[in-house]
Amino acid sequence: MASLRIAIRTDASKCIGTGHVMRCLSLAETLSQQGAKVLFISRDLPGNLNAFINKKGFDLCRLPVSEIQDLNLDWNRHATWLGVPWRQDAEETLGYLQNWGKVDLLVIDHYALEAGWEVMLRPVVNRILVIDDLADRPHDCDFLLDQNFFCGFEKRYEKLVPVHCQKLLGPRYALLRPDFREVRATRRLRTGDVKKILVFFGSTDPTDETTKALEAIRLLDRADISVDVVVGIGNQKKETIQRRCKALPQTHFYCQVDNMAELLADADLSLGAGGSTTWERFAVGTPSLLIAVAHNQEEHSQDLGSKGLVVYLGRSDQVDRKTILKQLERMLLSPSRLLAMESAGLKLVDGLGTKRVTGFLLTTAGEN
């Protein structure tokens, strides 16, 4: 079979974060290694990752930023994330793909896009894959991927996608980079004792959970425990956080790392957001205290907590440094609980999700 031609429509920005682009990059890298030709289509929004996509060696169509403010906000709660009216986005994407040529598969990972946009792209694509987490809007797609864990997740999209749509649901399809699978295979055995804590609340951390966590660790006052703090280049308070880290013993500051798998595997406990890093933690068995920093993180964080897979502290506006401190103190006295969380996480996410999705797409996406 001829190599697949795959286009990916996704964005990163200060508002969106980087998780959508990063998981698409994981998929794109594995697909390209199997011979697929991959094109990214992303808008030049503030805080985008377009230069990073280029650095990774992928072709990229940069959609321009618009000055238009009327985005018809009543149709989608995330409409502003797109930066332009959805019809304009569809027309721009359609025009570029008509010039690019045959598209075997269009991948869409964007909360601001739904069935109307997808219908407009149908004339130039063979199949459509939607990557979603929200299950809050209809899609016109052939495949739907939701890597998250929800109670009753098998039925979330029943009335939102066509009958013929094939659904890939759950953490077994988590789109992780290959290094998580590699680090998992050689990870050290934990004992349940906490000697190192990792703090990471996403690339931008808009609610500044990192500072809350550092304050809790300062109050914990355990100089025998080392701390790794990771922030993204888009974190607006990174300089202040770096100064705080310098003032704490055994605390190391990192900005925009490319070895997250190693840092997570080296930690005995993590403090983080309920985003895509959740599956990275599970893949290497790192027990987690989670805080939901966005609306779309609340439901699955609650469900994970109810199953004992994580300790869910609540929404960011419900959590302060004392809440974090109290849970830290409890976890330090609960080595058996930490080991149980490690084992459960490793069972839930085996690190093979990207390989599974790639194999499925290479087998089915090119069919007529």
Side-chain angles (χ1 to χ4, degrees):
M1 185 180 71
S3 61
L4 290 180
R5 290 169 57 83
I6 299 173
I8 299 177
R9 177 68 186 95
T10 188
D11 282 330
S13 72
K14 292 178 180 179
C15 179
I16 297 170
T18 62
H20 297 269
V21 168
M22 294 305 294
R23 67 185 178 189
C24 284
L25 278 170
S26 297
L27 179 61
E29 288 174 342
T30 306
L31 284 167
S32 65
Q33 289 169 4
Q34 297 298 316
K37 181 174 178 57
V38 181
L39 166 73
F40 275 82
I41 303 172
S42 295
R43 196 166 297 280
D44 273 328
L45 301 170
N48 67 75
L49 286 182
N50 291 343
F52 185 70
I53 294 172
N54 273 147
K55 185 179 179 181
K56 288 290 185 178
F58 291 104
D59 292 336
L60 171 67
C61 166
R62 294 172 178 259
L63 300 178
V65 176
S66 174
E67 300 299 325
I68 298 175
Q69 298 301 311
D70 181 13
L71 302 182
N72 190 15
L73 302 184
D74 59 342
W75 71 281
N76 186 307
R77 66 185 298 169
H78 295 98
T80 56
W81 287 18
L82 199 57
V84 298
W86 71 267
R87 288 185 182 278
Q88 177 183 336
D89 191 281
E91 289 168 357
E92 291 173 349
T93 303
L94 180 64
Y96 193 90
L97 290 182
Q98 285 174 331
N99 292 327
W100 192 58
K102 174 188 173 184
V103 181
D104 294 300
L105 178 69
L106 173 61
V107 179
I108 305 161
D109 190 347
H110 209 302
Y111 293 161
L113 302 178
E114 55 180 78
W117 188 99
E118 293 148 11
V119 167
M120 288 184 65
L121 271 294
R122 276 291 183 186
V124 297
V125 302
N126 186 23
R127 299 287 183 91
I128 293 176
L129 163 67
V130 168
I131 301 175
D132 192 23
D133 315 300
L134 303 180
D136 67 345
R137 61 204 191 282
H139 292 291
D140 178 29
C141 58
D142 304 285
F143 316 113
L144 183 134
L145 166 62
D146 185 340
Q147 65 185 14
N148 292 284
F149 176 90
F150 295 95
C151 295
F153 65 88
E154 300 91 346
K155 298 182 179 181
R156 292 181 81 226
Y157 294 92
E158 278 189 351
K159 298 181 180 180
L160 298 175
V161 297
V163 175
H164 72 269
C165 176
Q166 298 182 64
K167 296 182 285 290
L168 308 178
L169 304 177
R172 67 182 271 102
Y173 299 106
L175 297 175
L176 305 182
R177 300 188 305 276
D179 53 326
F180 282 91
R181 186 171 68 249
E182 295 162 5
V183 169
R184 173 192 176 98
T186 59
R187 73 186 189 282
R188 66 185 176 85
L189 294 177
R190 294 184 178 87
T191 65
D193 294 326
V194 177
K195 297 299 181 183
K196 179 172 285 189
I197 297 173
L198 176 71
V199 178
F200 176 58
F201 284 93
S203 61
T204 57
D205 188 14
T207 57
D208 197 21
E209 302 308 301
T210 304
T211 295
K212 294 181 190 177
L214 286 173
E215 279 295 293
I217 289 168
R218 181 183 65 81
L219 294 172
L220 187 65
D221 194 24
R222 287 285 299 269
D224 59 317
I225 297 176
S226 64
V227 182
D228 288 337
V229 178
V230 180
V231 301
I233 194 70
N235 190 306
Q236 299 298 301
K237 298 187 177 181
K238 55 184 177 293
E239 290 82 7
T240 302
I241 292 170
Q242 185 174 20
R243 288 195 294 271
R244 286 181 179 273
C245 290
K246 288 182 178 179
L248 291 173
Q250 294 268 77
T251 302
H252 312 283
F253 174 85
Y254 301 94
C255 183
Q256 205 63 39
V257 302
D258 57 7
N259 65 331
M260 183 59 79
E262 294 176 7
L263 291 172
L264 280 170
D266 201 34
D268 300 300
L269 179 65
S270 69
L271 286 165
S276 56
T277 309
T278 301
W279 318 118
E280 297 177 351
R281 300 182 195 109
F282 285 169
V284 294
T286 311
S288 307
L289 303 184
L290 288 194
I291 299 173
V293 302
H295 172 76
N296 65 293
Q297 297 179 3
E298 292 180 33
E299 184 182 354
H300 85 87
S301 294
Q302 290 174 344
D303 289 348
L304 289 169
S306 71
K307 298 295 185 180
L309 290 156
V310 303
V311 174
Y312 177 50
L313 303 185
R315 299 195 316 262
S316 58
D317 61 344
Q318 299 172 326
V319 176
D320 58 19
R321 63 182 184 177
K322 291 183 179 179
T323 307
I324 299 172
L325 174 63
K326 184 177 180 180
Q327 288 295 340
L328 280 174
E329 291 173 336
R330 286 180 177 176
M331 299 311 292
L332 294 182
L333 297 175
S334 307
S336 60
R337 186 178 183 185
L338 289 171
L339 290 174
M341 290 168 66
E342 175 186 24
S343 177
L346 288 168
K347 289 179 181 177
L348 189 66
V349 180
D350 61 9
L352 298 173
T354 305
K355 191 173 182 179
R356 285 192 185 94
V357 175
T358 301
F360 172 82
L361 293 177
L362 291 175
T363 302
T364 62
E367 297 174 355
N368 292 320

